[in-house]
Amino acid sequence: MISQDMAALISAQINREFYSAYFYLALSAQAETMNLKGTAAWFMAKHGEELTHALKMYRYLIDQDAPVVLMGVAAPEAVTDGVLRIFERTLEHERTVTSSINTMLDHALTEKDHATAIFLQWFVTEQIEEEATVKDIVGRLRLFGDQGYGLLMIDNELAAMAKQVGKTAGATSGTAQ
Ligand code: OFO
């Protein structure tokens, strides 16, 4: 059993994960309108990944016999000013998520809640990977440009990366997603 405060923080994070999923679904739709199939597939894969993050936290609360409090998910922000801006906003968003995961871990450590601290380690590692991936995409868009041939090349890379995300999710579904 975990504390009520800890459970409330995890429920709030479940909401943020659903928001992330919703935000990436919106960005996938936006990329579709721009005929960027690879970018759309990448955001769709990320959408699925964020849902698994929410459900992993949901399962943890259930296993800890703690209440799951589901809240309304806000409408996702629209980002319509170009592909570079889309990925810059994605990076800013992931940094916000990292900060909230760190706040939760700080709280678990304050409470000497070892189970939750260990549970959250997976998310800490996941955020390092997510930020690094998006930072790399932003860097490549700045280097090669977010129009013309440079964009076509990056869109093709994102198509390949989306397949990889799908494979990783498939290999670990039901466990550490
Ligand atoms: Fe759930 O990792 Fe992104 O937001």
Side-chain angles (χ1 to χ4, degrees), residues 16-17 20 24 49-50 53 93-94 97 123 126-127 130:
R16 285 190 204 97
E17 300 291 341
S20 295
Y24 295 156
E49 220 178 45
E50 297 300 345
H53 294 173
H93 177 71
E94 284 304 331
V97 173
F123 290 93
E126 175 73 1
Q127 286 306 122
E130 289 202 358

Side-chain angles (χ1 to χ4, degrees), residues 63-135:
D63 289 348
Q64 287 286 2
D65 203 17
V68 174
V69 181
L70 297 177
M71 293 161 264
V73 181
E77 161 191 356
V79 187
T80 54
D81 43 357
V83 181
L84 176 59
R85 192 65 201 128
I86 284 176
F87 280 97
E88 285 173 342
R89 278 298 299 130
T90 299
L91 183 56
E92 288 161 12
H93 177 71
E94 284 304 331
R95 285 179 172 155
T96 306
V97 173
T98 298
S99 169
S100 61
I101 299 278
N102 288 339
T103 300
M104 291 165 70
L105 181 53
D106 285 345
H107 189 87
L109 293 173
T110 304
E111 287 193 5
K112 295 187 174 25
D113 178 350
H114 299 290
T116 302
I118 290 167
F119 171 72
L120 291 173
Q121 293 293 336
W122 184 89
F123 290 93
V124 171
T125 308
E126 175 73 1
Q127 286 306 122
I128 294 169
E129 188 206 304
E130 289 202 358
E131 281 192 30
T133 302
V134 180
K135 198 149 55 71

Side-chain angles (χ1 to χ4, degrees), residues 31 35-43 83-84 86-87 133-162:
N35 290 312
L36 294 168
K37 293 292 178 192
T39 307
W42 189 85
F43 275 111
V83 181
L84 176 59
I86 284 176
F87 280 97
T133 302
V134 180
K135 198 149 55 71
D136 185 56
I137 296 167
V138 168
R140 291 172 75 72
L141 284 166
R142 285 185 183 146
L143 187 63
F144 299 113
D146 74 344
Q147 288 175 26
Y149 190 71
L151 179 57
L152 176 65
M153 183 186 75
I154 291 167
D155 192 57
N156 286 339
E157 282 183 11
L158 288 168
M161 287 164 71

